[in-house]
Each structure stands twice: as structure tokens, then as C-alpha cells.
Amino acid sequence: QLGTPDSPATGDVRRYLREFLSDPRVIDLPAPIRAALLNLVILPFRPRRSAHAYRQIWTDQGSPLTINTDSLTQKVGRILGDRYRVEFGMRYQSPSIESAVQRLAAAGCEQFVVLPLFPQYASAAGGSAAESALRLLGSRWNVPEVTLMGAFYDDPGFLDAAAFQVKTVLDGFHADHVLFSYHGLPEKQVRKSESTPGWCLSGDTCCAAITSDNAYCYRAQCFATTRGLAARLDLDEQSHSTTFQSRLAGQKWIEPYTDRNLPDLHRAGVRRLAVVTPSFTADCLETLEEIGIRARRQWEELGGEAFLLVPCVNDTDLWANAVAGIVESAVRS
């Protein structure tokens, strides 16, 4: 997973943000500019605001991201049985990917399957996690056999687990509209992943299907996930839409923006809104605080009657079985 601070204290949040935002895959600027932006603009102000946000979603057991991922890890281990050892690591902070690799090596594991828990591929998330894991495994004196799993945005097991989660909580809510809100990404990073120069973000239909031109396009994979979920949920085109959240100031991010889309939905007559966040497999700050608290408040201030945040797949049995299936398919191949 991406990571979480050790606590919601401002100092721990500052350490987490420093490590996270120092990654050149996250802020893809020349090192001197990235350092100046981080130390002069971000770190003096953002840790306090982020710490306040983390305190609103923190539990007695700790970070929801850590709790849900740990529970999923244990379930997957039980499903796979004694032939496997399952560990999880965070790209930033603890438990680290390095500590997970060390535990697996100490257990005598000879074949490693690396599964970044990000449904859609983004260099800043799945790419960074994969790079870290491969670097650590490759630095061992006896380099083990390694299988790296890619994005699973259209994996039937993931889509079935996510759709079941949506159906379960939507029963009785009677939503007017289902909004699929994905984590945002700078347009520049989307274009860096395109296979055909000039293809990505070239028009309204560039993400309508996955082709060789946009096979690594994060935005196209998000829309593909929406199509897979909408089909399983029997949603027509008018009853659902796709938006992107969590953008930062300073560059153009992929659209449409979640917060700017909410007033449009209200003007269109939507009153009972359900929000699904399928770029996250475990609930975290971006789902629980950004959508569950801030977006809910915005919706209520607009005059919306009801707002429902659908939980991520987290540690549900269907998702644990899907993860085990992905791992077993990697080992068989």
C-alpha cells in the first residue's frame, strides 16, 4: 500500500509527507525544484492541516489503512495455506516494504509475488511501490525469483468484490445517482504513460476503450473500472458518472473534478448521492475524510438530502479470495 503516518501527530505527519513527496515519481520535477517546493511551500504549512484531517479518521487501533490491509493480509494467508507466507508493506513509513521482504526471506521464501494494491496503474503509486520492492529484492546476494503483478482494474474478482460491496450498502438507500470518484493525477503524468504520442487527453473519446494507445493510461483504466462496475450494478449512463479527487495546486490535473461536479449534480436534480472510490482497495484519508467528511459537508450545504460513502473492498471475504486468486495465477504461470 502507499502508506500512512505512524500517528496523527503533526511531527509524524510531517515525516510521512517528507518521505512521500520526496519521491520523484510523485512530484516529477528536477530534484532542486522538488526540494524547494517541499521545504519552502509544502512542509511549513501542510503537515498541520493534514494532521487535523488524520485525527478525524484515526481509530483506537490506529490508521484505517493499516488495520484493513493487515486484516486482508491475514485472510489471504489463511486462504492460500501453509505453502505461502503473506506479508504487507507500505511504500512510505511503516510497516515498510523492506521489513516485509526481510520477514519473507527469514521464513525461507524462494519465490516472491509482488502485488501493488492499486487497481489502476499510476507511476506515482503502483510504479513507485513496484520499483521499491524490486530494488530491495534485487539487492539481495541471492536474487530470488520474482513475479510482479500489474494493474487489476478489470480483474473479474476485483470488480465482483467491489460491485458486491456497492450492492450491499445501496440496498435501501435509493440513490438518485452513483458517483465513481477516483484519485486524481497530473495531466503531465498521464501523458508520460501514453504509448502513442498525442493520444491521451486528445478528446472526449480517448478513454472510451483500452487499446494499445492507452494501455498504461491511468484515466482510461479508471473509466474501464467504472464500465465494469456499472455493468455489474445495472446502472444506465444517466444514473452514474466518473470524477477525480485529491488534486494539488500548481498544475493541471485530470478532469472532471469531484468537488466541482457536485454542484452540477445538484442542479441536475440529484438529491440522494452515493459515492464509490474504486481507486482505493482500503479506506484511508482520501476516502474517509476527503469524501466521507468534506464532500458530505459540501453536498449538505448544496441542499442534498442524503449522502452515502460506499466502503472500499477493505478485508471483505470476496476481495481476499480475489487477491488469493491473483497470487495463485501468478505462481501457476
Side-chain angles (χ1 to χ4, degrees):
Q1 287 280 20
L2 194 70
T4 180
D6 293 332
S7 82
T10 301
D12 284 340
V13 173
R14 180 179 289 106
R15 281 189 289 275
Y16 168 71
L17 291 176
R18 181 180 294 280
E19 183 181 2
F20 171 40
L21 299 176
S22 294
D23 189 337
R25 285 182 180 266
V26 175
I27 299 182
D28 54 335
L29 295 171
I33 299 176
R34 184 172 61 252
L37 178 64
L38 184 60
N39 292 301
L40 300 178
V41 178
I42 298 175
L43 290 180
F45 307 104
R46 189 172 177 188
R48 186 179 298 276
R49 295 196 301 267
S50 295
H52 173 72
Y54 273 109
R55 283 193 291 271
Q56 295 183 81
I57 60 107
W58 214 259
T59 73
D60 292 339
Q61 292 76 39
S63 162
L65 178 63
T66 302
I67 295 166
N68 285 311
T69 307
D70 181 54
S71 179
L72 173 70
T73 300
Q74 295 182 44
K75 281 190 174 184
V76 173
R78 288 195 293 270
I79 294 168
L80 290 174
D82 294 339
R83 184 165 168 243
Y84 293 81
R85 175 73 177 264
V86 184
E87 298 283 352
F88 82 94
M90 298 293 189
R91 174 62 183 89
Y92 313 105
Q93 299 295 288
S94 56
S96 66
I97 295 175
E98 182 176 14
S99 68
V101 168
Q102 290 172 347
R103 289 191 296 273
L104 291 168
C109 296
E110 299 175 348
Q111 180 181 3
F112 286 73
V113 177
V114 179
L115 176 60
L117 287 173
F118 311 100
Q120 303 82 23
Y121 177 79
S123 179
S128 181
E131 179 188 22
S132 175
L134 294 176
R135 183 176 63 249
L136 289 162
L137 289 165
S139 68
R140 302 190 65 80
W141 183 259
N142 296 321
V143 179
E145 179 181 349
V146 182
T147 301
L148 172 64
M149 305 306 295
F152 48 86
Y153 63 93
D154 60 348
D155 178 77
F158 165 66
L159 292 174
D160 288 345
F164 182 80
Q165 188 80 321
V166 176
K167 286 180 181 177
T168 300
V169 299
L170 277 187
D171 283 348
F173 181 72
H174 305 298
D176 297 333
H177 194 87
V178 177
L179 179 65
F180 295 95
S181 180
Y182 296 82
H183 198 287
L185 203 67
E187 286 190 355
K188 180 177 72 170
Q189 293 191 16
V190 170
R191 290 193 173 95
K192 287 173 71 172
S193 290
E194 64 187 0
S195 303
T196 301
W199 176 270
C200 285
L201 307 174
S202 58
D204 294 337
T205 61
C206 65
C207 292
I210 300 293
T211 68
S212 59
D213 298 303
N214 61 6
Y216 280 92
C217 175
Y218 172 79
R219 189 175 186 271
Q221 291 182 5
C222 290
F223 277 100
T225 298
T226 292
R227 290 193 294 271
L229 290 175
R232 285 165 170 76
L233 297 167
D234 295 322
L235 298 176
D236 58 43
E237 290 187 6
Q238 289 71 41
S239 64
H240 75 279
S241 55
T242 296
T243 58
F244 299 89
Q245 61 182 85
S246 310
R247 67 188 185 279
L248 296 175
Q251 16 181 356
K252 185 73 162 40
W253 287 55
I254 52 177
E255 296 180 348
Y257 300 143
T258 299
D259 58 342
R260 295 184 183 177
N261 187 245
L262 294 184
D264 295 337
L265 290 174
H266 190 267
R267 283 192 292 268
V270 176
R271 295 296 180 267
R272 302 183 63 83
L273 179 66
V275 183
V276 186
T277 54
S279 56
F280 305 93
T281 53
D283 278 308
C284 55
L285 186 74
E286 287 80 3
T287 65
L288 299 172
E289 193 274 336
E290 185 176 358
I291 299 299
I293 296 176
R294 279 190 278 152
R296 179 189 303 276
R297 184 186 305 125
Q298 181 186 359
W299 186 247
E300 291 171 350
E301 291 173 352
L302 288 168
E305 295 175 6
F307 184 99
L308 175 69
L309 170 62
V310 177
C312 294
V313 286
N314 288 320
D315 62 345
T316 58
D317 291 343
L318 271 179
W319 176 226
N321 278 289
V323 172
I326 292 172
V327 172
E328 289 184 310
S329 69
V331 172
R332 284 195 301 269
S333 64

